[in-house]
Coordinates of all heavy atoms in Angstrom, one line a residue:
M1 N -43.9 -26.4 26.6 CA -42.6 -27.0 26.8 C -41.9 -26.4 28.0 O -42.0 -25.2 28.2 CB -41.7 -26.8 25.5 CG -40.4 -27.3 25.6 SD -39.6 -27.1 23.9 CE -38.2 -28.0 24.2
K2 N -41.2 -27.2 28.7 CA -40.5 -26.8 29.9 C -39.2 -26.1 29.6 O -38.5 -26.5 28.6 CB -40.3 -28.1 30.8 CG -39.9 -27.8 32.2 CD -40.0 -29.1 32.9 CE -39.8 -28.8 34.4 NZ -39.7 -30.0 35.2
Y3 N -38.8 -25.1 30.4 CA -37.5 -24.4 30.2 C -36.3 -25.4 30.4 O -36.3 -26.1 31.4 CB -37.4 -23.3 31.2 CG -36.1 -22.6 31.1 CD1 -35.7 -21.7 30.1 CD2 -35.2 -22.8 32.2 CE1 -34.5 -21.1 30.1 CE2 -33.9 -22.1 32.2 CZ -33.6 -21.3 31.1 OH -32.4 -20.7 31.1
D4 N -35.4 -25.4 29.4 CA -34.3 -26.3 29.5 C -33.0 -25.4 29.3 O -32.8 -24.8 28.2 CB -34.3 -27.4 28.5 CG -33.2 -28.4 28.6 OD1 -32.3 -28.2 29.5 OD2 -33.1 -29.3 27.8
R5 N -32.2 -25.3 30.4 CA -31.1 -24.4 30.3 C -30.1 -24.8 29.2 O -29.6 -24.0 28.5 CB -30.4 -24.4 31.7 CG -29.3 -23.5 31.8 CD -28.7 -23.7 33.2 NE -27.9 -22.5 33.6 CZ -27.5 -22.3 34.8 NH1 -27.8 -23.1 35.8 NH2 -26.8 -21.2 35.1
N6 N -29.8 -26.1 29.1 CA -28.9 -26.6 28.1 C -29.4 -26.3 26.7 O -28.6 -25.9 25.8 CB -28.6 -28.0 28.3 CG -27.8 -28.3 29.6 OD1 -27.1 -27.5 30.1 ND2 -28.1 -29.5 30.2
L7 N -30.6 -26.6 26.5 CA -31.2 -26.3 25.2 C -31.2 -24.9 24.8 O -30.8 -24.5 23.7 CB -32.7 -26.8 25.1 CG -33.4 -26.6 23.8 CD1 -32.7 -27.4 22.7 CD2 -34.9 -27.1 23.9
M8 N -31.4 -24.0 25.8 CA -31.4 -22.6 25.5 C -29.9 -22.1 25.2 O -29.7 -21.4 24.2 CB -31.8 -21.8 26.8 CG -31.9 -20.4 26.6 SD -33.2 -20.0 25.4 CE -33.6 -18.4 26.0
G9 N -29.0 -22.7 25.9 CA -27.6 -22.4 25.6 C -27.2 -22.8 24.2 O -26.5 -22.1 23.4
K10 N -27.6 -24.0 23.8 CA -27.3 -24.6 22.5 C -27.9 -23.8 21.4 O -27.4 -23.5 20.3 CB -27.7 -26.0 22.4 CG -26.8 -27.0 23.2 CD -27.3 -28.4 23.0 CE -26.4 -29.4 23.8 NZ -26.8 -30.7 23.7
T11 N -29.2 -23.3 21.7 CA -29.9 -22.6 20.7 C -29.2 -21.2 20.4 O -29.0 -20.8 19.3 CB -31.3 -22.3 21.2 OG1 -32.0 -23.6 21.4 CG2 -32.1 -21.5 20.2
I12 N -28.8 -20.6 21.5 CA -28.1 -19.3 21.3 C -26.8 -19.5 20.6 O -26.4 -18.7 19.7 CB -27.8 -18.6 22.7 CG1 -29.2 -18.2 23.3 CG2 -26.9 -17.5 22.6 CD1 -29.1 -17.7 24.7
M13 N -26.0 -20.5 20.9 CA -24.8 -20.8 20.2 C -25.0 -21.1 18.7 O -24.3 -20.6 17.9 CB -24.1 -22.0 20.9 CG -23.6 -21.8 22.3 SD -22.3 -20.6 22.4 CE -20.9 -21.5 21.8
A14 N -26.1 -21.8 18.4 CA -26.4 -22.1 17.0 C -26.8 -20.8 16.3 O -26.4 -20.6 15.1 CB -27.6 -23.1 17.0
M15 N -27.5 -19.9 17.0 CA -27.9 -18.7 16.3 C -26.6 -17.8 16.0 O -26.5 -17.2 15.0 CB -28.8 -17.9 17.2 CG -30.2 -18.5 17.3 SD -31.3 -17.8 18.6 CE -31.3 -16.1 18.2
Q16 N -25.7 -17.8 16.9 CA -24.4 -17.1 16.7 C -23.6 -17.7 15.5 O -23.1 -17.0 14.7 CB -23.6 -17.1 18.0 CG -24.2 -16.3 19.1 CD -23.4 -16.4 20.4 OE1 -22.5 -17.3 20.5 NE2 -23.7 -15.5 21.3
R17 N -23.6 -19.0 15.5 CA -22.9 -19.7 14.4 C -23.5 -19.4 13.0 O -22.8 -19.1 12.1 CB -22.9 -21.2 14.7 CG -22.2 -22.0 13.6 CD -20.7 -21.8 13.6 NE -20.1 -22.5 12.5 CZ -19.2 -22.1 11.7 NH1 -18.7 -20.9 11.9 NH2 -18.7 -22.9 10.8
V18 N -24.9 -19.4 13.0 CA -25.6 -19.0 11.8 C -25.2 -17.6 11.4 O -25.0 -17.4 10.2 CB -27.1 -19.2 12.0 CG1 -27.9 -18.6 10.8 CG2 -27.5 -20.7 12.1
E19 N -25.2 -16.7 12.3 CA -24.8 -15.3 12.0 C -23.4 -15.2 11.4 O -23.1 -14.5 10.5 CB -25.0 -14.5 13.2 CG -24.9 -13.0 13.0 CD -25.9 -12.5 12.0 OE1 -27.1 -13.0 12.0 OE2 -25.6 -11.6 11.2
Q20 N -22.5 -16.0 12.0 CA -21.1 -16.0 11.5 C -21.0 -16.5 10.1 O -20.3 -16.0 9.2 CB -20.2 -16.9 12.4 CG -19.9 -16.4 13.7 CD -19.1 -17.4 14.6 OE1 -19.0 -18.5 14.2 NE2 -18.7 -16.9 15.7
I21 N -21.8 -17.6 9.8 CA -21.8 -18.1 8.4 C -22.4 -17.1 7.4 O -21.9 -16.9 6.3 CB -22.6 -19.4 8.4 CG1 -21.9 -20.5 9.1 CG2 -22.9 -19.9 7.0 CD1 -22.7 -21.8 9.4
K22 N -23.5 -16.4 7.8 CA -24.1 -15.4 7.0 C -23.0 -14.3 6.7 O -22.9 -13.8 5.6 CB -25.3 -14.7 7.7 CG -26.5 -15.6 7.6 CD -27.7 -14.8 8.2 CE -29.0 -15.5 8.2 NZ -30.1 -14.8 8.9
Q23 N -22.3 -13.8 7.7 CA -21.4 -12.8 7.6 C -20.2 -13.2 6.6 O -19.8 -12.4 5.7 CB -20.8 -12.4 8.9 CG -19.9 -11.2 8.9 CD -20.6 -9.9 8.6 OE1 -21.8 -9.8 8.9 NE2 -19.9 -9.0 8.0
A24 N -19.8 -14.4 6.8 CA -18.7 -14.9 5.9 C -19.2 -15.0 4.4 O -18.4 -14.6 3.5 CB -18.2 -16.3 6.3
R25 N -20.4 -15.4 4.2 CA -21.0 -15.5 2.9 C -21.1 -14.1 2.3 O -20.8 -13.9 1.1 CB -22.3 -16.2 2.9 CG -22.3 -17.6 3.0 CD -23.7 -18.2 3.0 NE -23.6 -19.7 3.1 CZ -24.7 -20.5 3.2 NH1 -25.9 -19.9 3.2 NH2 -24.5 -21.8 3.2
E26 N -21.5 -13.1 3.1 CA -21.7 -11.8 2.6 C -20.3 -11.2 2.2 O -20.2 -10.6 1.1 CB -22.3 -10.9 3.6 CG -23.8 -11.1 3.8 CD -24.4 -10.2 4.9 OE1 -23.7 -9.2 5.3 OE2 -25.5 -10.5 5.3
E27 N -19.3 -11.5 3.0 CA -17.9 -11.0 2.7 C -17.4 -11.6 1.4 O -16.8 -10.9 0.6 CB -17.0 -11.3 3.9 CG -17.3 -10.4 5.1 CD -16.5 -10.8 6.3 OE1 -15.7 -11.7 6.2 OE2 -16.7 -10.2 7.3
R28 N -17.6 -12.9 1.2 CA -17.1 -13.6 0.0 C -17.9 -13.1 -1.2 O -17.3 -12.8 -2.2 CB -17.4 -15.1 0.1 CG -16.3 -15.8 0.9 CD -16.4 -17.3 0.6 NE -17.7 -17.9 0.7 CZ -18.3 -18.5 1.7 NH1 -17.6 -18.6 2.8 NH2 -19.5 -19.0 1.7
F29 N -19.2 -12.9 -1.1 CA -20.0 -12.3 -2.2 C -19.4 -10.9 -2.6 O -19.2 -10.6 -3.8 CB -21.4 -12.2 -1.8 CG -22.3 -11.6 -2.8 CD1 -22.7 -12.4 -4.0 CD2 -22.8 -10.3 -2.7 CE1 -23.5 -11.8 -4.9 CE2 -23.6 -9.8 -3.7 CZ -23.9 -10.5 -4.8
H30 N -19.2 -10.1 -1.6 CA -18.7 -8.7 -1.8 C -17.3 -8.8 -2.5 O -17.1 -8.0 -3.4 CB -18.7 -7.9 -0.5 CG -18.3 -6.5 -0.7 ND1 -17.0 -6.1 -0.7 CD2 -19.1 -5.4 -1.0 CE1 -17.0 -4.8 -0.9 NE2 -18.2 -4.3 -1.1
A31 N -16.5 -9.6 -2.0 CA -15.1 -9.8 -2.5 C -15.2 -10.2 -4.0 O -14.4 -9.7 -4.8 CB -14.3 -10.7 -1.7
N32 N -16.0 -11.1 -4.3 CA -16.1 -11.6 -5.7 C -16.7 -10.5 -6.6 O -16.2 -10.3 -7.7 CB -17.0 -12.8 -5.8 CG -16.4 -14.1 -5.3 OD1 -15.2 -14.2 -5.2 ND2 -17.2 -15.0 -4.8
R33 N -17.6 -9.7 -6.1 CA -18.2 -8.6 -6.9 C -17.1 -7.6 -7.1 O -17.0 -7.0 -8.2 CB -19.4 -8.0 -6.2 CG -20.6 -8.8 -6.1 CD -21.3 -8.9 -7.4 NE -21.7 -7.5 -7.7 CZ -22.9 -7.2 -8.3 NH1 -23.7 -8.2 -8.5 NH2 -23.1 -6.0 -8.6
M34 N -16.3 -7.3 -6.1 CA -15.3 -6.2 -6.2 C -14.1 -6.7 -7.1 O -13.5 -5.9 -7.8 CB -14.8 -5.8 -4.9 CG -15.8 -5.1 -4.0 SD -16.4 -3.6 -4.8 CE -18.1 -4.1 -5.2
K35 N -13.9 -8.0 -7.1 CA -12.8 -8.6 -8.0 C -13.2 -8.3 -9.4 O -12.3 -7.9 -10.2 CB -12.7 -10.1 -7.7 CG -11.6 -10.7 -8.6 CD -11.5 -12.2 -8.2 CE -12.8 -12.9 -8.7 NZ -12.7 -14.3 -8.5
D36 N -14.4 -8.5 -9.8 CA -14.8 -8.3 -11.2 C -14.9 -6.8 -11.5 O -14.6 -6.4 -12.6 CB -16.2 -8.9 -11.4 CG -16.2 -10.4 -11.3 OD1 -15.1 -11.0 -11.5 OD2 -17.3 -11.0 -11.1
A37 N -15.3 -6.0 -10.5 CA -15.4 -4.6 -10.7 C -14.0 -3.9 -10.8 O -13.9 -2.9 -11.4 CB -16.2 -4.0 -9.5
K38 N -13.0 -4.5 -10.3 CA -11.7 -3.9 -10.3 C -11.2 -3.8 -11.8 O -10.7 -2.7 -12.1 CB -10.7 -4.8 -9.5 CG -9.3 -4.1 -9.4 CD -8.4 -5.0 -8.6 CE -7.0 -4.3 -8.4 NZ -6.1 -5.1 -7.6
G39 N -11.4 -4.8 -12.6 CA -11.0 -4.7 -14.0 C -11.7 -3.6 -14.7 O -11.2 -2.9 -15.5
E40 N -13.0 -3.5 -14.4 CA -13.8 -2.5 -15.1 C -13.4 -1.1 -14.6 O -13.3 -0.2 -15.4 CB -15.3 -2.7 -14.7 CG -16.3 -1.8 -15.4 CD -16.3 -2.1 -16.9 OE1 -16.0 -3.2 -17.4 OE2 -16.5 -1.1 -17.7
K41 N -13.0 -1.0 -13.4 CA -12.6 0.3 -12.9 C -11.3 0.7 -13.6 O -11.1 1.9 -13.9 CB -12.4 0.2 -11.4 CG -12.2 1.5 -10.7 CD -12.2 1.3 -9.2 CE -12.1 2.7 -8.5 NZ -12.1 2.5 -7.0
V42 N -10.4 -0.2 -13.8 CA -9.1 0.1 -14.5 C -9.4 0.5 -15.9 O -8.8 1.5 -16.4 CB -8.2 -1.1 -14.4 CG1 -7.0 -1.0 -15.3 CG2 -7.7 -1.4 -13.0
K43 N -10.3 -0.2 -16.6 CA -10.7 0.2 -17.9 C -11.2 1.6 -18.0 O -10.8 2.4 -18.9 CB -11.7 -0.8 -18.5 CG -11.2 -2.1 -18.9 CD -12.4 -3.0 -19.4 CE -12.0 -4.4 -19.6 NZ -13.1 -5.2 -20.1
Q44 N -12.1 1.9 -17.1 CA -12.7 3.3 -17.1 C -11.6 4.3 -16.8 O -11.6 5.4 -17.4 CB -13.8 3.4 -16.0 CG -15.0 2.6 -16.4 CD -16.1 2.6 -15.3 OE1 -15.8 3.1 -14.2 NE2 -17.2 2.0 -15.5
A45 N -10.7 4.0 -15.9 CA -9.6 5.0 -15.6 C -8.7 5.2 -16.8 O -8.4 6.4 -17.1 CB -8.7 4.5 -14.5
R46 N -8.4 4.2 -17.6 CA -7.7 4.3 -18.8 C -8.4 5.2 -19.8 O -7.8 6.0 -20.5 CB -7.3 3.0 -19.4 CG -6.3 2.2 -18.6 CD -5.8 1.0 -19.3 NE -4.7 0.4 -18.6 CZ -4.5 -0.9 -18.4 NH1 -5.3 -1.7 -19.0 NH2 -3.6 -1.3 -17.7
V47 N -9.7 5.0 -20.0 CA -10.5 5.8 -20.9 C -10.4 7.2 -20.5 O -10.2 8.1 -21.4 CB -11.9 5.3 -21.0 CG1 -12.8 6.2 -21.7 CG2 -12.0 3.9 -21.7
E48 N -10.6 7.5 -19.2 CA -10.5 8.9 -18.7 C -9.2 9.5 -19.0 O -9.1 10.7 -19.4 CB -10.9 8.9 -17.2 CG -12.3 8.7 -16.9 CD -13.2 9.8 -17.5 OE1 -12.8 11.0 -17.3 OE2 -14.2 9.5 -18.0
I49 N -8.1 8.7 -18.8 CA -6.8 9.3 -19.0 C -6.6 9.6 -20.5 O -6.0 10.6 -20.8 CB -5.7 8.3 -18.5 CG1 -5.7 8.3 -17.0 CG2 -4.3 8.6 -19.0 CD1 -4.9 7.2 -16.4
E50 N -7.0 8.7 -21.4 CA -6.9 9.0 -22.8 C -7.7 10.2 -23.2 O -7.3 11.0 -24.0 CB -7.4 7.7 -23.6 CG -6.4 6.6 -23.5 CD -6.9 5.3 -24.1 OE1 -8.0 5.4 -24.8 OE2 -6.3 4.2 -23.9
K51 N -8.9 10.4 -22.6 CA -9.7 11.5 -23.0 C -9.1 12.8 -22.6 O -9.2 13.8 -23.3 CB -11.1 11.4 -22.3 CG -12.1 10.5 -23.0 CD -13.4 10.6 -22.3 CE -14.4 9.6 -22.8 NZ -15.7 9.6 -22.0
H52 N -8.5 12.8 -21.4 CA -8.0 14.1 -20.8 C -6.5 14.0 -20.6 O -5.9 14.6 -19.6 CB -8.7 14.3 -19.5 CG -10.2 14.3 -19.6 ND1 -10.9 15.3 -20.2 CD2 -11.1 13.4 -19.1 CE1 -12.2 15.0 -20.2 NE2 -12.3 13.9 -19.5
A53 N -5.8 13.5 -21.6 CA -4.3 13.4 -21.5 C -3.7 14.8 -21.4 O -2.6 15.0 -20.8 CB -3.7 12.6 -22.6
E54 N -4.3 15.8 -22.1 CA -3.7 17.1 -22.1 C -3.7 17.7 -20.7 O -2.8 18.6 -20.4 CB -4.4 18.0 -23.1 CG -5.8 18.4 -22.6 CD -6.9 17.3 -23.0 OE1 -6.5 16.3 -23.6 OE2 -8.0 17.5 -22.6
L55 N -4.5 17.3 -19.8 CA -4.5 17.8 -18.4 C -3.4 17.2 -17.6 O -2.9 17.8 -16.7 CB -5.9 17.5 -17.8 CG -7.1 18.2 -18.4 CD1 -8.4 17.7 -17.7 CD2 -7.0 19.7 -18.3
L56 N -3.0 16.0 -18.0 CA -2.0 15.3 -17.2 C -0.6 15.6 -17.7 O 0.3 15.5 -16.9 CB -2.2 13.8 -17.3 CG -3.5 13.2 -16.7 CD1 -3.6 11.8 -17.1 CD2 -3.5 13.5 -15.3
A57 N -0.4 16.1 -18.9 CA 0.9 16.4 -19.4 C 1.7 17.4 -18.5 O 2.9 17.1 -18.2 CB 0.8 16.9 -20.8
P58 N 1.2 18.5 -18.0 CA 1.9 19.4 -17.2 C 2.3 18.7 -15.9 O 3.4 18.9 -15.4 CB 1.0 20.6 -16.9 CG 0.0 20.5 -18.0 CD -0.1 19.1 -18.4
A59 N 1.4 17.9 -15.3 CA 1.7 17.2 -14.1 C 2.9 16.2 -14.3 O 3.7 16.1 -13.4 CB 0.5 16.5 -13.5
V60 N 2.8 15.5 -15.4 CA 3.9 14.5 -15.7 C 5.2 15.2 -15.9 O 6.3 14.8 -15.4 CB 3.5 13.6 -16.9 CG1 4.6 12.8 -17.3 CG2 2.3 12.8 -16.6
A61 N 5.2 16.3 -16.6 CA 6.4 17.1 -16.8 C 7.0 17.6 -15.5 O 8.2 17.5 -15.3 CB 6.2 18.2 -17.7
K62 N 6.1 18.1 -14.6 CA 6.6 18.6 -13.3 C 7.2 17.4 -12.5 O 8.2 17.6 -11.8 CB 5.4 19.2 -12.6 CG 5.7 19.8 -11.3 CD 6.6 21.0 -11.3 CE 6.8 21.6 -10.0 NZ 7.8 22.6 -9.9
R63 N 6.5 16.2 -12.6 CA 7.0 15.1 -11.8 C 8.4 14.6 -12.3 O 9.2 14.3 -11.5 CB 6.0 13.9 -12.0 CG 6.3 12.8 -11.0 CD 5.2 11.8 -11.1 NE 5.8 10.5 -11.6 CZ 5.2 9.6 -12.2 NH1 3.9 9.7 -12.4 NH2 5.8 8.5 -12.6
E64 N 8.6 14.7 -13.6 CA 9.9 14.3 -14.1 C 10.9 15.3 -13.7 O 12.0 14.9 -13.3 CB 9.8 14.2 -15.7 CG 9.0 13.0 -16.2 CD 8.8 13.0 -17.7 OE1 9.4 13.9 -18.3 OE2 8.2 12.1 -18.2
E65 N 10.6 16.5 -13.7 CA 11.5 17.6 -13.2 C 11.9 17.4 -11.7 O 13.1 17.4 -11.4 CB 10.9 18.9 -13.4 CG 11.8 20.1 -13.0 CD 11.1 21.4 -13.2 OE1 10.3 21.6 -14.2 OE2 11.3 22.3 -12.3
V66 N 10.9 17.1 -10.9 CA 11.1 16.8 -9.5 C 12.0 15.6 -9.3 O 12.9 15.6 -8.5 CB 9.8 16.7 -8.8 CG1 10.0 16.2 -7.4 CG2 9.0 18.0 -8.7
M67 N 11.7 14.5 -10.1 CA 12.5 13.3 -10.0 C 14.0 13.6 -10.4 O 14.9 13.1 -9.7 CB 11.9 12.2 -10.8 CG 10.6 11.6 -10.2 SD 10.9 10.9 -8.6 CE 11.9 9.5 -9.0
Q68 N 14.2 14.4 -11.4 CA 15.5 14.7 -11.8 C 16.2 15.5 -10.8 O 17.4 15.3 -10.5 CB 15.5 15.5 -13.2 CG 16.8 15.7 -13.8 CD 17.5 14.4 -14.1 OE1 16.8 13.4 -14.6 NE2 18.8 14.3 -13.9
N69 N 15.5 16.4 -10.1 CA 16.1 17.2 -9.0 C 16.5 16.3 -7.9 O 17.6 16.5 -7.3 CB 15.2 18.3 -8.5 CG 15.0 19.4 -9.5 OD1 15.9 19.6 -10.4 ND2 14.0 20.2 -9.4
V70 N 15.7 15.4 -7.5 CA 16.0 14.4 -6.5 C 17.2 13.6 -6.8 O 18.1 13.4 -6.0 CB 14.7 13.5 -6.2 CG1 15.1 12.3 -5.3 CG2 13.6 14.3 -5.6
L71 N 17.2 13.1 -8.0 CA 18.4 12.3 -8.4 C 19.7 13.1 -8.4 O 20.7 12.6 -8.0 CB 18.2 11.7 -9.8 CG 17.1 10.6 -9.9 CD1 16.9 10.2 -11.4 CD2 17.5 9.4 -9.1
D72 N 19.6 14.3 -8.9 CA 20.8 15.2 -8.9 C 21.3 15.5 -7.5 O 22.5 15.4 -7.2 CB 20.5 16.5 -9.6 CG 20.3 16.4 -11.1 OD1 20.7 15.3 -11.6 OD2 19.7 17.3 -11.7
S73 N 20.3 15.8 -6.6 CA 20.8 16.0 -5.2 C 21.3 14.8 -4.5 O 22.3 14.8 -3.7 CB 19.6 16.6 -4.4 OG 18.6 15.6 -4.2
A74 N 20.8 13.6 -4.9 CA 21.3 12.3 -4.3 C 22.7 12.1 -4.8 O 23.6 11.7 -4.0 CB 20.4 11.2 -4.7
R75 N 22.9 12.3 -6.1 CA 24.3 12.1 -6.6 C 25.3 13.1 -6.0 O 26.4 12.8 -5.7 CB 24.2 12.4 -8.1 CG 23.6 11.3 -8.9 CD 23.7 11.5 -10.4 NE 22.9 10.5 -11.1 CZ 21.9 10.7 -11.9 NH1 21.5 11.9 -12.2 NH2 21.3 9.7 -12.5
E76 N 24.8 14.3 -5.7 CA 25.7 15.3 -5.1 C 26.0 14.9 -3.7 O 27.2 15.0 -3.2 CB 24.9 16.7 -5.1 CG 25.8 17.8 -4.6 CD 25.0 19.1 -4.7 OE1 24.4 19.4 -5.8 OE2 25.0 19.8 -3.7
R77 N 25.0 14.4 -2.9 CA 25.3 13.9 -1.6 C 26.3 12.7 -1.6 O 27.2 12.7 -0.7 CB 24.0 13.5 -0.9 CG 23.1 14.6 -0.4 CD 22.0 14.2 0.5 NE 21.3 13.0 0.0 CZ 20.1 13.1 -0.7 NH1 19.6 14.2 -0.9 NH2 19.5 12.0 -1.1
I78 N 26.1 11.8 -2.5 CA 27.0 10.7 -2.6 C 28.5 11.1 -2.9 O 29.4 10.7 -2.3 CB 26.5 9.7 -3.6 CG1 25.3 9.0 -3.1 CG2 27.6 8.6 -4.0 CD1 24.5 8.2 -4.2
A79 N 28.6 12.1 -3.8 CA 29.9 12.6 -4.2 C 30.5 13.3 -3.0 O 31.7 13.1 -2.7 CB 29.8 13.6 -5.3
T80 N 29.7 14.0 -2.2 CA 30.2 14.7 -1.0 C 30.7 13.7 0.0 O 31.8 13.9 0.6 CB 29.2 15.6 -0.4 OG1 28.7 16.5 -1.4 CG2 29.7 16.4 0.8
R81 N 30.0 12.7 0.2 CA 30.4 11.6 1.2 C 31.7 11.0 0.8 O 32.5 10.7 1.6 CB 29.3 10.5 1.3 CG 28.1 11.0 2.0 CD 27.1 9.8 2.2 NE 25.8 10.4 2.5 CZ 24.6 9.8 2.2 NH1 24.6 8.7 1.5 NH2 23.5 10.3 2.6
K82 N 31.8 10.7 -0.5 CA 33.1 10.1 -1.0 C 34.3 11.0 -0.7 O 35.3 10.6 -0.3 CB 33.0 9.7 -2.5 CG 32.1 8.6 -2.7 CD 32.1 8.2 -4.2 CE 31.2 7.0 -4.5 NZ 31.1 6.7 -5.9
I83 N 34.1 12.3 -1.0 CA 35.1 13.3 -0.8 C 35.5 13.3 0.7 O 36.7 13.3 1.1 CB 34.7 14.7 -1.3 CG1 34.6 14.6 -2.8 CG2 35.7 15.7 -0.8 CD1 34.0 15.9 -3.4
R84 N 34.5 13.4 1.6 CA 34.8 13.4 3.0 C 35.5 12.2 3.5 O 36.4 12.2 4.3 CB 33.5 13.6 3.8 CG 32.9 15.0 3.7 CD 31.7 15.1 4.5 NE 31.1 16.4 4.3 CZ 29.8 16.8 4.6 NH1 29.1 15.9 5.2 NH2 29.4 18.0 4.4
A85 N 35.1 11.0 3.0 CA 35.7 9.8 3.3 C 37.2 9.8 2.9 O 38.1 9.3 3.6 CB 35.0 8.6 2.7
A86 N 37.4 10.3 1.7 CA 38.8 10.3 1.2 C 39.6 11.3 2.1 O 40.8 11.0 2.4 CB 38.8 10.8 -0.2
E87 N 39.0 12.4 2.5 CA 39.7 13.4 3.4 C 40.1 12.7 4.7 O 41.2 13.0 5.2 CB 38.9 14.6 3.5 CG 38.8 15.5 2.3 CD 37.8 16.6 2.5 OE1 37.1 16.7 3.5 OE2 37.8 17.5 1.5
K88 N 39.2 11.9 5.2 CA 39.4 11.3 6.5 C 40.6 10.3 6.4 O 41.4 10.2 7.3 CB 38.2 10.6 7.0 CG 37.1 11.5 7.6 CD 35.9 10.7 8.1 CE 34.8 11.6 8.6 NZ 33.7 10.8 9.1
V89 N 40.6 9.5 5.3 CA 41.6 8.6 5.1 C 43.0 9.3 5.0 O 44.0 8.9 5.5 CB 41.3 7.7 3.8 CG1 42.6 6.9 3.5 CG2 40.1 6.8 4.1
T90 N 43.0 10.4 4.3 CA 44.2 11.2 4.1 C 44.6 11.8 5.4 O 45.8 11.7 5.7 CB 43.9 12.3 3.1 OG1 43.4 11.8 1.9 CG2 45.2 13.1 2.8
A91 N 43.7 12.3 6.2 CA 44.0 12.8 7.5 C 44.6 11.8 8.5 O 45.6 12.0 9.2 CB 42.8 13.5 8.1
R92 N 44.0 10.6 8.4 CA 44.5 9.5 9.3 C 45.9 9.1 8.8 O 46.8 8.8 9.7 CB 43.6 8.3 9.2 CG 42.3 8.5 9.9 CD 41.5 7.2 9.9 NE 40.1 7.5 10.4 CZ 39.1 6.8 10.2 NH1 39.2 5.7 9.5 NH2 37.9 7.1 10.8
G93 N 46.2 9.0 7.5 CA 47.5 8.7 7.0 C 48.5 9.7 7.5 O 49.6 9.4 7.8
A94 N 48.1 11.0 7.5 CA 49.1 12.0 7.9 C 49.4 11.9 9.4 O 50.5 12.1 9.8 CB 48.5 13.4 7.6
E95 N 48.4 11.5 10.2 CA 48.6 11.4 11.6 C 49.5 10.2 11.9 O 50.4 10.3 12.8 CB 47.2 11.1 12.3 CG 46.3 12.3 12.4 CD 45.0 12.0 13.1 OE1 44.8 10.8 13.5 OE2 44.1 12.9 13.1
N96 N 49.4 9.1 11.1 CA 50.2 8.0 11.3 C 51.7 8.3 10.9 O 52.6 7.8 11.5 CB 49.7 6.8 10.5 CG 48.4 6.2 11.1 OD1 48.1 6.4 12.3 ND2 47.7 5.5 10.3
M97 N 51.8 9.2 9.9 CA 53.2 9.5 9.5 C 53.9 10.4 10.6 O 55.1 10.3 10.7 CB 53.1 10.3 8.2 CG 52.6 9.5 7.0 SD 53.8 8.2 6.7 CE 54.3 8.7 5.1
E98 N 53.1 11.2 11.3 CA 53.7 12.1 12.3 C 54.2 11.2 13.5 O 55.1 11.6 14.2 CB 52.7 13.1 12.8 CG 52.3 14.1 11.7 CD 51.3 15.1 12.2 OE1 50.8 14.9 13.3 OE2 50.9 15.9 11.4
D99 N 53.5 10.1 13.8 CA 53.9 9.3 15.0 C 55.2 8.6 14.8 O 56.2 8.5 14.7 CB 52.8 8.2 15.3 CG 51.5 8.8 15.8 OD1 51.6 10.0 16.2 OD2 50.5 8.2 15.7

């Protein structure tokens, strides 16, 4: 067979397209497998948590304590801002009275 530049180009393009299709199929197959595996992984994680709940209790208690500290400090900052805002309003009112 004689060399045909156009045929060679089309052949290479077709080979690339076939490779793209293969890649897309592999990705879909993997995604479907992982979708099913996700539920199983969650089940296994729950079983592990139930088995070893005593190990998690100190961590949960510590987390709750930290969250409470964060909430307390946030409340304190908000209260401080309100006090400062009220002081500014009072100071502005006093300046207006002097004029």
Side-chain angles (χ1 to χ4, degrees):
M1 178 172 186
K2 195 171 187 181
Y3 173 76
D4 185 359
R5 182 182 203 169
N6 292 332
L7 179 62
M8 185 67 153
K10 287 181 182 180
T11 303
I12 291 173
M13 295 295 284
M15 290 169 56
Q16 290 173 350
R17 180 67 181 138
V18 167
E19 191 60 36
Q20 288 175 351
I21 292 169
K22 282 183 182 179
Q23 188 68 28
R25 284 181 177 176
E26 285 178 16
E27 289 172 4
R28 278 196 315 266
F29 177 76
H30 185 268
N32 286 337
R33 293 282 300 219
M34 293 301 107
K35 180 179 66 174
D36 295 340
K38 186 177 181 180
E40 188 63 31
K41 193 173 184 179
V42 169
K43 285 180 190 176
Q44 289 176 355
R46 285 190 178 141
V47 168
E48 286 295 316
I49 289 172
E50 288 174 8
K51 280 184 184 177
H52 305 291
E54 69 279 355
L55 296 175
L56 295 174
V60 171
K62 180 70 174 169
R63 189 173 118 206
E64 289 175 1
E65 181 182 324
V66 168
M67 287 301 292
Q68 190 60 42
N69 290 341
V70 168
L71 290 173
D72 290 342
S73 65
R75 287 184 186 123
E76 186 176 310
R77 284 193 311 264
I78 291 170
T80 304
R81 286 183 197 150
K82 286 181 180 179
I83 292 170
R84 287 182 184 165
E87 289 173 353
K88 285 182 181 179
V89 169
T90 306
R92 286 183 189 162
E95 287 177 5
N96 289 338
M97 295 295 247
E98 291 176 0
D99 290 341

